[in-house]
Amino acid sequence: MPKPDVQILVCLKERPDGVGKPCCAGRGSSDVYYRLKDLIRQRGLKDAVLVTKTGCQHHCSRGITVSVWPQNHWYGGVTLADVEEILDGAIAGTEVERLRMPPGPWE
């Protein structure tokens, strides 16, 4: 596999019920991950874009967390409806402003 131009990291952290701290897996992050994988395959971008599952990216209260490298774009509250826009932005090197992770404490 050649070195990818872009890496998209999707938090799939899972916590047991009753822990008191939310997790991305409980909000459907695996669906986001697999939709990205499907789109990349459909568009023939397998060599250019790498999608990686991660553990906690430390923004638990902000919904599903996705980060894009090397641009260093961080997104919160990601849903399945956002996946195509994130992928398009990652390829173009542009940020999806409406999903931008606000500054603030890492959790």
Side-chain angles (χ1 to χ4, degrees):
M1 177 178 159
K3 179 181 172 189
D5 299 319
V6 175
Q7 184 174 23
I8 302 174
L9 303 155
V10 181
C11 176
L12 269 72
K13 173 67 178 178
E14 190 167 2
R15 289 190 177 91
D17 292 335
V19 171
K21 192 173 189 178
C23 66
C24 291
R27 293 173 171 157
S29 62
S30 64
D31 294 336
V32 168
Y33 171 79
Y34 286 110
R35 180 66 181 136
L36 277 164
K37 299 279 284 183
D38 289 344
L39 281 173
I40 289 164
R41 196 170 19 262
Q42 289 169 11
R43 293 183 183 187
L45 297 170
K46 210 171 105 175
D47 290 340
V49 181
L50 176 64
V51 179
T52 305
K53 300 176 189 179
T54 72
C56 187
Q57 292 189 36
H58 303 283
H59 290 288
C60 308
S61 65
R62 295 188 175 130
I64 296 172
T65 301
V66 173
S67 55
V68 179
W69 294 90
Q71 295 97 337
N72 196 20
H73 294 158
W74 287 76
Y75 302 121
V78 174
T79 68
L80 272 176
D82 303 319
V83 169
E84 198 158 350
E85 191 174 1
I86 290 170
L87 180 57
D88 291 342
I91 293 165
T94 59
E95 189 171 30
V96 180
E97 302 269 339
R98 67 182 181 80
L99 297 173
R100 182 188 301 161
M101 185 71 69
W106 290 70
E107 302 167 16

